């Protein structure tokens, strides 16, 4: 729909293929509109505290990010007045000539919504650039009200902010706000709804105003074009905005485009470049307005500048970045792992004991609950502490503005892959969980970048794979366990980069076009917002994982229990004679060259395709089958006592682990080398070290989970998703084969 | 001093925009962010590996790759 329309007066423009299908955006807007019937749309530059402001006004649970483009999914603000929804939060935009999917959504919503009021949020510390958007908004025939936000930050910078003066010269109400402290947010809505006016927009140079007047006169005869947008559309045509041209040509307004081209040719003949004249006219007025609103501007070295001297230091910058990443992962594991153990161990055992006692009269139900449902739920729950801590740390880095610095630091490295520094962030998120990482690729501008990053990032070892490494490392490499775990992460990264390189040279060559990274000022994120944000992400993971993991564990249990042996006794069949065992047996020769061609090892990989979380659980079910099914029944009181004691010990362990996070990382302390669990003993007996290593490599590289595949399909279509699955299996097998054959020579 | 490309400036130096190359891949966006004629641009620093380059225009800090600085002509 947004095909480029050739023009003899415009220089080649960046390909609109970067942007998603406009039809998709229209659908999004239609969906939002159906959901909210918004009357006020909230528009502002990225990083103006817009979402925090809406949060303060509407009190809804919205995501706030201080990394340009962090609002990956649309957040919906709900504020009802007399039962009617009122506010629609639009993604951050620098201008209404869209360059990013977010900006396209914002622009499309403004065109199609015909909102009653535009509430424009400005960063008081960066007025000139923010007012550029304000002036563009005033080209719409819609009343505007302004929230002058981040006033506190501007004062810290040494700026004097005069909101009444700005209101006078802009001709619209201006309310000073400090959204993070809730200042000024109270009267914002009443002012926005009651006092919003059309304001005093830009007078463009005479030749451009004449051309725009002619175009708007033509539009007046076209009922298909929204009247509130005529002037905006005319100016966008004169600016040569490719998305507006594409939209108008797709909706059959070719005469209008021809007329615009004729004007552009005439202007060009007079030596007038309309794009530049329009931008200059807006900036001239924005500059004048800013000088009135901020009469005194002392240059004061800001905290951001001081922090950046360290964070972006020529020698220290990258080591600091790597140390921070390491710190995040150490924090995640040392703070969260005691809770993981608690959920997977004492709590689960206690619960299983009670369930076994309560269901003693109904053996089949007892076996299902104790053997499948409790372990299944336990698997999902035991992931939540890790994810919560990881998401908290990631949200902190995003919301504080550090992620943008990471993109700046890593850009040169990513350039070799035809990517830019921003692509590093989904890759890092991939260490936590591939699913949010795939969603985070939406922040990349070019489609080929989004596809390449989505296809490579499953090789980044997500936290669900770690338990497999830990169990095998403890079982087979008790003295080098940490190094084995570490090398899995490194191997995953190496394959990620190698594969990106290969994809670039074959299927997805890098698109041209410049790279622009914004470096927003550092902000200390509000803990409440961080917590909400991390909690929401964790909960959405739990929701998504719950069904698949539970179904998988129950399914494996069922397949292990079938067929019923003679006499109708259910769940008494030996594992190797079960349906599960026989199917795994049939498939297992494929893995013989990798050293683990037996049904048990192969069997555990099958549910791993659905979720890596369950590989260890399935190994346990297979190797220790009967043990899990017969927990000792406990009295209620003993169970509660045990659980409380265990929880208290866990909290103590977790809290006392915090200081050790800051200690130098030592690779020899984290795995439990001394005491071997029953599973570790079983694995040590079943795998040679070389086969174990090959198994780990295979687990690292094959499809991480069905949820990730689903996320890729959602972002890029099924074809890409299945392609990803196919080559991951191929690479996993190949690398596993190589590992086994090489490792056999030494181990 | 005459006209140079922005790439020729060292960290800490500032200059005024003369124009953007008509074929600059970021022309439209740079105009919107304030790279209009006469705007003062400061080169803040280069990234540890020499590229990209942090710039300040108006109150905005942003980074461009050195290759994209070649199309921005500045004066003084």
């Amino acid at each position: 729909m947004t095909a480029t329309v050739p023009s003899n007066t415009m220089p080649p423009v960046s390909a609109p293929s970067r942007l998603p299908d406009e039809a998709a955006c229209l659908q999004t807007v239609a969906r939002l509109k159906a959901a909210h019937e918004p009357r006020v749309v909230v528009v502002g530059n990225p990083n103006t505290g817009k979402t925090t402001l809406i949060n303060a006004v509407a009190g809804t649970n919205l995501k706030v990010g201080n990394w340009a483009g962090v609002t990956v999914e649309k957040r919906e603000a709900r504020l009802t007045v007399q039962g009617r929804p009122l506010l629609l939060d639009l993604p951050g935009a620098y201008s209404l000539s869209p360059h990013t999917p977010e900006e396209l959504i914002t622009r499309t919503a403004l065109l199609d919504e015909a909102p009653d009021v535009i509430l424009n949020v400005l960063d008081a510390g960066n007025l000139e650039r923010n007012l550029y958007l304000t002036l563009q908004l005033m080209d719409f025939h819609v009343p505007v009200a302004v929230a002058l936000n981040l006033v506190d930050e501007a004062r810290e910078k040494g700026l004097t902010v005069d909101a009444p003066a700005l209101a006078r010269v802009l001709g619209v109400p201006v309310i000073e706000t400090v959204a993070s402290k809730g200042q000024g947010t109270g009267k914002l809505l009443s002012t926005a709804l009651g006092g919003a006016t059309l304001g005093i927009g830009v007078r463009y140079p005479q030749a451009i105003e004449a051309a725009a007047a002619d175009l708007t006169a033509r539009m007046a005869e076209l009922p298909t074009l929204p009247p509130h947008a005529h002037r905006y559309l005319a100016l966008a045509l004169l600016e040569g905005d490719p998305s507006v041209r594409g939209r108008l040509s797709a909706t059959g307004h070719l005469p209008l485009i021809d007329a615009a081209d004729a004007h552009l040719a005439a202007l060009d003949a007079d030596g007038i470049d309309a794009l530049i004249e329009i931008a200059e006219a807006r900036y001239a007025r924005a500059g004048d307005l800013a000088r009135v609103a901020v009469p005194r501007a002392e240059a004061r070295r800001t905290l951001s500048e001081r922090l950046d001297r360290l964070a972006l230091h020529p020698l220290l910058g990258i080591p600091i970045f790597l140390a921070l990443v390491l710190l995040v992962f150490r924090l995640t594991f040392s703070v969260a792992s005691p809770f993981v153990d608690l959920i997977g161990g004492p709590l689960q055992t206690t619960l299983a004991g009670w369930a076994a006692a309560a269901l003693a009269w109904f053996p089949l139900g007892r076996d299902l609950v104790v053997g499948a449902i409790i372990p299944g739920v336990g698997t999902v729950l035991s992931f939540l502490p890790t994810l919560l801590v990881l998401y908290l740390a990631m949200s902190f880095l995003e919301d504080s503005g550090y992620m943008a610095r990471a993109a700046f630091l890593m850009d040169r490295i990513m350039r070799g892959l035809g990517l830019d520094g921003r692509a590093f962030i989904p890759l890092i998120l991939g260490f936590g969980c591939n699913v949010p990482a795939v969603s985070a690729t939406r922040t990349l501008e070019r489609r080929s970048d989004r596809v390449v990053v989505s296809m490579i990032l499953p090789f980044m070892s997500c936290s669900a794979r770690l338990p497999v490494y830990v169990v095998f490392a403890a079982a087979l490499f008790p003295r080098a366990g940490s190094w084995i775990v570490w090398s899995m992460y490194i191997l995953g990264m190496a394959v990620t980069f190698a594969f990106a390189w290969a994809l670039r040279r074959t299927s997805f060559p890098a698109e041209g076009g410049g790279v622009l990274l914004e470096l927003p000022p550092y902000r200390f994120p509000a803990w409440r917002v961080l917590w909400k944000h991390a909690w929401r992400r964790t909960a959405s993971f739990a929701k998504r994982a719950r069904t698949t993991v539970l179904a998988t564990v129950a399914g494996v249990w069922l397949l292990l229990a079938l067929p019923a042996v003679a006499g109708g006794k259910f769940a008494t069949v030996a594992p190797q004679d079960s349906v599960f065992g026989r199917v795994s047996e049939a498939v297992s020769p494929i893995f013989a060259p990798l050293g683990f061609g037996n049904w048990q090892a192969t069997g555990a990989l099958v549910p791993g395709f659905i979720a890596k979380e369950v590989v260890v659980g399935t190994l346990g079910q297979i190797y220790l089958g009967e043990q899990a099914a017969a927990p000792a029944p406990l009295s209620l009181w003993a169970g509660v006592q045990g659980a409380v004691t265990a929880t208290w010990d866990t909290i103590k362990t977790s809290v006392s682990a915090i200081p050790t996070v800051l200690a130098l990382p030592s690779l020899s302390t984290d795995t439990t080398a001394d005491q071997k669990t029953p599973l570790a003993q079983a694995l040590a007996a079943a795998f040679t070290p070389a086969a174990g290593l090959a198994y780990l490599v295979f687990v690292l590289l094959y499809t991480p989970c069905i949820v990730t595949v689903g996320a890729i399909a959602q972002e890029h279509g099924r074809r890409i998703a299945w392609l990803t699955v196919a080559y991951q299996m191929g690479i996993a097998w190949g690398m596993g084969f190589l590992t086994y054959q090489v490792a056999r020579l030494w181990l | 001093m005459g006209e140079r490309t922005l790439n020729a400036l060292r960290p800490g130096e500032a200059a005024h925009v003369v124009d953007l190359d008509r074929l600059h891949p970021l022309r439209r966006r740079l105009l919107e962010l304030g790279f209009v004629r006469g705007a003062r641009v400061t080169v803040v620093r280069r990234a540890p590996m020499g590229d990209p380059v942090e710039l300040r225009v108006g109150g905005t800090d942003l980074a461009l790759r050195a290759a994209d600085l070649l199309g921005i002509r500045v004066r003084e």
Side-chain angles (χ1 to χ4, degrees):
Chain A
M1 288 200 43
T2 52
T4 315
V5 180
S7 155
N8 49 1
T9 56
M10 277 177 7
V13 290
S14 50
S17 69
R18 287 177 177 199
L19 298 174
D21 196 348
E22 182 143 1
C25 283
L26 289 171
Q27 276 174 7
T28 308
V29 172
R31 194 174 50 75
L32 293 170
K33 191 173 178 176
H36 299 302
E37 312 171 38
R39 296 170 56 217
V40 180
V41 295
V42 187
V43 187
N45 279 194
N47 294 308
T48 49
K50 192 165 61 67
T51 310
T52 314
L53 185 73
I54 292 182
N55 222 331
V57 173
T60 50
N61 186 354
L62 299 159
K63 181 179 183 297
V64 187
N66 187 21
W67 171 43
V70 83
T71 313
V72 168
E73 293 159 51
K74 276 288 298 112
R75 294 290 157 231
E76 303 169 352
R78 234 176 265 274
L79 182 75
T80 43
V81 170
Q82 292 161 355
R84 285 199 59 196
L86 195 65
L87 278 180
L88 175 63
D89 185 16
L90 293 178
Y94 290 116
S95 103
L96 300 179
S97 320
H99 292 253
T100 61
E102 286 87 358
E103 288 179 343
L104 186 58
I105 288 178
T106 296
R107 205 282 315 275
T108 307
L110 281 169
L111 275 181
D112 297 345
E113 285 292 302
D116 296 338
V117 171
I118 297 171
L119 178 57
N120 180 206
V121 184
L122 303 185
D123 172 359
N126 195 353
L127 262 187
E128 195 173 347
R129 191 195 73 201
N130 279 253
L131 283 165
Y132 182 92
L133 178 67
T134 311
L135 294 170
Q136 224 176 356
L137 291 170
M138 286 179 173
D139 290 332
F140 281 96
H141 194 80
V142 176
V144 174
V146 166
L148 193 57
N149 197 28
L150 300 171
V151 181
D152 53 340
E153 215 179 84
R155 296 217 168 96
E156 275 163 35
K157 269 197 217 172
L159 305 176
T160 314
V161 185
D162 187 350
L166 182 61
R168 207 165 47 243
V169 286
L170 210 47
V172 303
V174 177
I175 309 290
E176 277 187 33
T177 54
V178 181
S180 55
K181 297 181 187 118
Q183 290 170 17
T185 54
K187 59 178 175 176
L188 191 61
L189 268 181
S190 53
T191 311
L193 288 173
T197 49
L198 290 177
I200 306 160
V202 183
R203 300 298 324 156
Y204 298 99
Q206 188 49 45
I208 288 173
E209 284 290 350
D214 173 61
L215 291 173
T216 48
R218 288 165 191 267
M219 288 179 204
E221 289 156 27
L222 300 168
T224 45
L225 292 176
H228 74 282
H230 285 176
R231 183 171 164 83
Y232 163 76
L233 287 172
L235 289 161
L237 279 173
L238 294 173
E239 286 177 283
D241 180 334
S243 77
V244 162
R245 291 176 68 95
R247 189 184 151 115
L248 288 179
S249 71
T251 49
H253 294 99
L254 287 171
L256 209 53
I257 292 174
D258 291 341
D261 283 344
H263 282 299
L264 284 172
L267 289 167
D268 202 44
D270 292 341
I272 297 172
D273 184 331
L275 174 64
I276 287 186
E277 297 287 338
I278 291 173
E280 283 183 356
R282 285 191 189 131
Y283 261 104
R285 175 134 168 77
D288 290 345
L289 292 168
R291 273 185 290 281
V292 172
V294 186
R296 247 171 348 109
E298 304 163 28
R300 192 182 293 173
R301 189 184 283 282
T302 63
L303 180 64
S304 280
E305 284 171 53
R306 287 198 297 272
L307 282 175
D308 271 344
R309 278 169 48 138
L310 193 63
L312 304 179
H313 188 275
L315 293 176
L316 298 177
I318 289 178
I320 288 174
F321 169 62
L322 295 177
L324 271 174
V325 172
L326 197 63
L327 188 75
V328 166
F329 289 114
R330 281 176 63 81
L331 188 76
T332 306
F333 297 125
S334 45
V335 175
S337 59
F339 287 98
V340 176
D341 295 343
L342 174 73
I343 294 171
L347 289 189
Q348 210 171 308
T349 316
T350 309
L351 206 60
W354 289 341
L359 291 167
W361 54 275
F362 178 37
L364 183 62
R366 181 195 63 194
D367 290 353
L368 180 69
V369 168
V370 172
I373 294 178
I374 291 179
V377 174
T379 306
V380 177
L381 288 183
S382 68
F383 261 81
L384 301 188
T386 310
L387 281 181
L388 187 65
V389 177
L390 188 70
Y391 280 141
L392 267 176
M394 287 294 171
S395 303
F396 183 87
L397 292 183
E398 278 175 12
D399 293 3
S400 66
Y402 186 75
M403 281 297 196
R405 271 71 184 180
F408 177 72
L409 291 170
M410 302 315 288
D411 182 71
R412 183 67 189 81
I413 291 172
M414 300 305 283
R415 198 171 81 184
L417 305 175
L419 295 168
D420 67 63
R422 282 166 293 193
F424 205 75
I425 283 134
L427 291 183
I428 296 180
L429 284 175
F431 276 135
C433 178
N434 289 176
V435 178
V438 169
S439 320
T441 61
R442 283 185 211 169
T443 57
L444 306 177
E445 281 170 33
R446 301 176 184 85
R447 183 179 139 76
S448 79
D449 291 6
R450 292 196 292 269
V451 173
V452 166
V453 175
S454 300
M455 289 176 84
I456 61 174
L457 74 83
F459 293 127
M460 300 297 276
S461 186
C462 68
S463 54
R465 278 167 257 190
L466 183 68
V468 189
Y469 310 151
V470 171
V471 166
F472 271 81
L476 300 173
F477 306 95
R479 272 171 301 165
S482 307
W483 289 103
I484 297 292
V485 174
W486 187 245
S487 63
M488 286 301 130
Y489 279 89
I490 301 293
L491 178 66
M493 281 165 69
V495 174
T496 305
F497 282 88
F499 208 72
W501 188 86
L503 278 177
R504 279 300 190 205
R505 259 142 209 83
T506 53
S507 324
F508 298 95
E511 292 172 46
V515 169
L516 193 155
L517 308 168
E518 216 223 342
L519 299 166
Y522 287 101
R523 297 208 174 108
F524 201 87
W527 290 112
R528 198 174 48 85
V529 176
L530 281 187
W531 176 257
K532 274 185 179 178
H533 179 178
W535 181 253
R536 209 175 39 75
R537 283 175 162 187
T538 309
S540 89
F541 167 84
K543 256 184 237 157
R544 262 185 305 219
R546 173 177 70 186
T547 330
T548 41
V549 175
L550 201 59
T552 310
V553 176
V556 169
W557 177 83
L558 193 67
L559 292 177
L560 271 165
L562 288 172
V565 290
K569 292 257 297 177
F570 191 64
T572 49
V573 65
Q576 63 268 33
D577 297 327
S578 66
V579 175
F580 185 81
R582 288 199 207 136
V583 172
S584 304
E585 182 86 60
V587 180
S588 62
I590 297 173
F591 295 106
L594 280 66
F596 50 90
N598 57 60
W599 76 269
Q600 296 97 326
T602 309
L605 293 175
V606 177
F609 178 79
I610 297 175
K612 283 288 199 309
E613 290 87 324
V614 296
V615 171
V616 171
T618 312
L619 284 169
Q621 269 177 306
I622 293 171
Y623 283 108
L624 313 166
E626 68 289 346
Q627 194 177 331
L634 282 168
S635 78
L636 188 66
W637 174 238
V640 171
Q641 249 183 337
V644 168
T645 316
T647 308
W648 175 240
D649 288 346
T650 301
I651 292 169
K652 282 197 293 191
T653 316
S654 176
V655 169
S656 67
I658 292 173
T660 67
V661 166
L662 293 170
L664 274 181
S666 95
L667 285 166
S668 58
T669 52
D670 37 76
T671 48
T672 49
D674 297 336
Q675 72 262 27
K676 277 195 179 179
T677 62
L679 179 58
Q681 285 164 9
L683 291 176
F687 283 83
T688 67
L693 207 56
Y695 196 74
L696 289 188
V697 169
F698 192 87
V699 168
L700 164 71
L701 299 177
Y702 86 114
T703 312
C705 65
I706 197 74
V707 188
T708 302
V709 176
I712 295 176
Q714 196 186 341
E715 296 295 323
H716 310 298
R718 292 218 183 119
R719 201 181 65 84
I720 298 282
W722 287 116
L723 193 65
T724 310
V725 171
Y727 74 70
Q728 280 167 346
M729 291 309 251
I731 287 177
W733 193 91
M735 292 297 289
F737 176 75
L738 212 64
T739 307
Y740 180 61
Q741 299 302 336
V742 173
R744 219 159 45 143
L745 303 177
W746 279 285
L747 296 170
Chain B
M1 203 182 290
E3 287 177 6
R4 305 184 276 177
T5 66
L6 197 49
N7 194 36
L9 264 62
R10 275 194 293 273
E13 288 187 310
H16 295 271
V17 174
V18 175
D19 66 2
L20 302 179
D21 193 300
R22 255 177 108 83
L23 299 175
H24 197 292
L26 296 164
R27 184 169 190 250
R28 183 178 291 277
R29 170 90 334 170
L30 289 173
L31 282 169
E32 288 163 354
L33 288 174
F35 283 78
V36 290
R37 189 168 30 192
R40 185 182 157 86
V41 187
T42 310
V43 172
V44 180
R45 63 167 62 80
R46 285 175 179 266
M49 283 170 274
D51 203 5
V53 181
E54 183 182 345
L55 306 170
R56 182 167 303 148
V57 62
T60 307
D61 280 18
L62 51 88
L64 294 177
R65 288 180 177 169
D68 294 328
L69 296 181
L70 293 173
I72 305 174
R73 286 194 302 150
V74 293
R75 184 162 26 81
E76 285 168 60

